Amino acid sequence: MKKKLFFLLTLMCSVSMFMSCSKDDGDTWKEIPKNITAENATLTLNGKSIAGTAVTIDVQSAKTAIVSLKNVLYGHSSVPVNVIMEEQDNHSYNFQGSTNIKGETKTDTDLGLTVKVNGNVTKDGKMMLDITTSGWGAIAGSYANDSLSIKINNVAQDAKFPVAVLAISESKATLKFQTLAYLANDFSVDVELLQVGEMYRLSGSSKKEGCYDISINGSIQNSVLEINVDYKSLSPVVGKWGIKIDSEDEPEFIFEFKTKEGHITLPQEFIDMLPDIIKEFIKKQMSDEEINMIFKMALGIVSPCFESVEFKEDGTVIVTYHPISDPDQTKTLEIFTFGFKDKEMNLVVDFKSVIGMDLKYPVTLHYYVDTDGSLKVWVDKAILNEYLALATKVLPLLKDILGDKYALVEMILNVVNNNIVGASTQFDLGLVLEKR
């Protein structure tokens, strides 16, 4: 009898333990944390890895949950997706689900974007998640670098500046540009969409009187935006210009220099480095009037070397000049493009053609087209400080090119920066041009 009771007690304990274990195993879903950190989330969007993104999963039961995508899809801060879960042998959970979300439209019946998720999550908060999007709303996004191919007037451009696509409907979208290679800035172009298989063709135009006329053709496929931009400048500066000659047959310049003390002081070591022909005009201490006289004299000497500058409709610039060493020779310089931002002109220098650096830098210029048709282009102290800061960074890269002249150029740059421009309260320097 005792043996039978012992056997029955053992059997009851075994059944109890089995039921307890089963219950614990079935509750594994309760241990899944809601917030999945970016470090624990391995995500892909349409087959491409995305990093630094957090996800939340609100587990409702062993079979259902809500996965929320935080700032994963362009224009949507949070996208909740209802998913069905299935427990795996290792007590992790596979899940999948989909949702339709509204695109950039006011039409309630046109959702425009379908999001599907498929993944796995463990009770210690590690998640693998594949996200796919479809529908016209899926083209919305910010395109740059590997996801952007852009040409301007059929010339390939750097794709580092993002182009944002806002999906309006299945047939309309808006392209927003931060900058178009500095030719135009902070503008939008409304485009028509045409779906051809998995590709969306797009075309549209934008015109701003006195600024630009832009037309765009391109496509979006496999998460890559390809566009060709036909650009035409409508600015009144378009044309060929030469230095304006005044009534006394003298070239017109803009130059105004003032200091608080009424003079500047130059370092003696700088004066000692100057050629003898220049030393007779330079003193250790020079008044504002003397500085104005020397600069205007220098501009007068250099002006015959300058023949013309042509601002072309496509945004390129051609400078024609005569070398000081050979005034009879005519040369052209084609290293600039021009555009406009905040009522200022951007003159963009292509350093690759000058020193081999793959760098384009916008130089800001004040400009004004006068009532007599003349064009005034000048810089002030604030702009000069930007130039000098850039020159200070670039100069060491020119050491091999300058050779034994490097020390002199470096000294001149430091003196201009610290003792001339740095000492001034006003420094305006520019040209007065007239159409040729």
Side-chain angles (χ1 to χ4, degrees):
M1 184 68 179
K2 288 183 180 180
K3 287 184 178 180
K4 290 182 179 180
L5 289 174
F6 178 76
F7 176 77
L8 182 61
L9 181 61
T10 302
L11 180 64
M12 290 176 61
C13 289
S14 299
V15 170
S16 176
M17 288 177 64
F18 176 78
M19 291 180 63
S20 176
C21 289
S22 298
K23 181 177 182 299
D24 289 344
D25 288 347
D27 287 346
T28 304
W29 61 272
K30 293 182 179 180
E31 300 179 42
I32 298 173
K34 181 175 183 179
N35 295 310
I36 309 298
T37 63
E39 294 78 13
N40 288 331
T42 303
L43 276 64
T44 64
L45 175 60
N46 296 323
K48 295 183 178 180
S49 296
I50 51 177
T53 303
V55 181
T56 65
I57 180 166
D58 186 6
V59 181
Q60 309 289 310
S61 69
K63 298 294 185 182
T64 62
I66 301 173
V67 174
S68 294
L69 310 177
K70 303 294 184 180
N71 297 307
V72 173
L73 302 181
Y74 184 83
H76 302 279
S77 59
S78 179
V79 176
V81 183
N82 292 316
V83 298
I84 301 298
M85 300 206 307
E86 182 179 353
E87 188 176 7
Q88 304 301 297
D89 292 339
N90 60 356
H91 302 311
S92 69
Y93 285 82
N94 286 347
F95 60 85
Q96 61 179 350
S98 65
T99 186
N100 294 325
I101 61 175
K102 194 171 181 178
E104 299 289 334
T105 177
K106 296 180 180 178
T107 307
D108 292 336
T109 57
D110 187 358
L111 302 178
L113 179 60
T114 299
V115 180
K116 294 182 180 180
V117 298
N118 192 339
N120 176 273
V121 64
T122 65
K123 65 181 182 180
D124 56 353
K126 295 186 182 298
M127 178 183 288
M128 298 183 67
L129 177 61
D130 296 324
I131 308 160
T132 57
T133 59
S134 59
W136 56 263
I139 67 172
S142 180
Y143 296 81
N145 301 315
D146 292 342
S147 64
L148 175 63
S149 174
I150 180 170
K151 294 181 179 179
I152 301 176
N153 297 331
N154 294 313
V155 178
Q157 303 292 320
D158 192 336
K160 67 180 180 180
F161 297 112
V163 179
V165 176
L166 304 182
I168 307 301
S169 71
E170 61 183 350
S171 61
K172 294 183 183 297
T174 298
L175 272 58
K176 290 191 173 184
F177 292 80
Q178 174 187 339
T179 182
L180 182 66
Y182 304 108
L183 298 172
N185 300 277
D186 300 321
F187 69 97
S188 300
V189 180
D190 294 329
V191 296
E192 300 290 329
L193 293 176
L194 176 62
Q195 186 174 6
V196 182
E198 296 183 355
M199 176 177 65
Y200 284 86
R201 296 191 184 278
L202 52 88
S203 61
S205 61
S206 177
K207 185 176 182 178
K208 187 175 181 180
E209 290 297 335
C211 294
Y212 55 74
D213 188 357
I214 290 173
S215 61
I216 291 177
N217 287 282
S219 64
I220 300 176
Q221 187 175 21
N222 298 326
S223 302
V224 175
L225 170 64
E226 295 186 11
I227 53 174
N228 184 65
V229 182
D230 289 326
Y231 171 86
K232 179 181 178 181
S233 177
L234 303 179
S235 169
V237 308
V238 170
K240 182 179 285 189
W241 303 80
I243 294 178
K244 185 179 180 181
I245 305 301
D246 63 19
S247 58
E248 297 180 0
D249 204 30
E250 294 291 334
E252 287 194 32
F253 301 105
I254 298 171
F255 187 78
E256 292 293 336
F257 179 84
K258 293 180 181 177
T259 63
K260 184 178 180 180
E261 294 80 9
H263 68 270
I264 65 169
T265 302
L266 300 175
Q268 186 60 48
E269 58 268 27
F270 166 71
I271 298 174
D272 293 339
M273 292 181 70
L274 295 174
D276 292 338
I277 194 172
I278 298 178
K279 283 182 181 178
E280 59 181 293
F281 300 102
I282 305 298
K283 300 183 299 184
K284 187 173 179 63
Q285 189 173 92
M286 301 187 67
S287 66
D288 293 354
E289 292 77 12
E290 289 174 315
I291 292 294
N292 277 280
M293 180 190 69
I294 288 176
F295 267 89
K296 289 178 180 178
M297 181 175 67
L299 290 171
I301 294 172
V302 173
S303 64
C305 299
F306 175 82
E307 184 172 306
S308 66
V309 57
E310 183 178 6
F311 298 99
K312 302 184 72 174
E313 285 184 338
D314 63 0
T316 57
V317 181
I318 300 176
V319 179
T320 305
Y321 68 99
H322 307 286
I324 294 178
S325 59
D326 188 2
D328 294 329
Q329 187 180 7
T330 301
K331 289 189 174 184
T332 58
L333 192 63
E334 300 182 41
I335 63 169
F336 303 105
T337 56
F338 75 99
F340 303 92
K341 183 178 182 180
D342 300 330
K343 299 182 179 180
E344 306 290 2
M345 179 188 291
N346 277 335
L347 197 63
V348 183
V349 185
D350 183 1
F351 282 101
K352 189 172 185 178
S353 59
V354 181
I355 57 175
M357 289 180 59
D358 192 9
L359 171 67
K360 291 185 178 180
Y361 187 85
V363 174
T364 303
L365 299 171
H366 298 301
Y367 80 101
Y368 175 69
V369 179
D370 213 335
T371 53
D372 64 356
S374 63
L375 171 63
K376 296 179 179 179
V377 182
W378 76 99
V379 295
D380 56 18
K381 179 178 178 178
I383 294 176
L384 280 171
N385 283 332
E386 292 182 18
Y387 298 169
L388 291 169
L390 174 64
T392 300
K393 291 180 180 179
V394 171
L395 184 59
L397 303 174
L398 305 177
K399 195 166 187 176
D400 292 339
I401 298 174
L402 294 172
D404 58 1
K405 295 183 176 62
Y406 179 82
L408 176 60
V409 174
E410 184 180 39
M411 175 69 78
I412 292 173
L413 179 59
N414 289 335
V415 170
V416 171
N417 194 2
N418 301 317
N419 301 87
I420 301 177
V421 176
S424 68
T425 55
Q426 180 181 0
F427 197 124
D428 296 323
L429 174 64
L431 299 172
V432 182
L433 306 172
E434 60 183 359
K435 277 280 179 74
R436 290 285 174 89

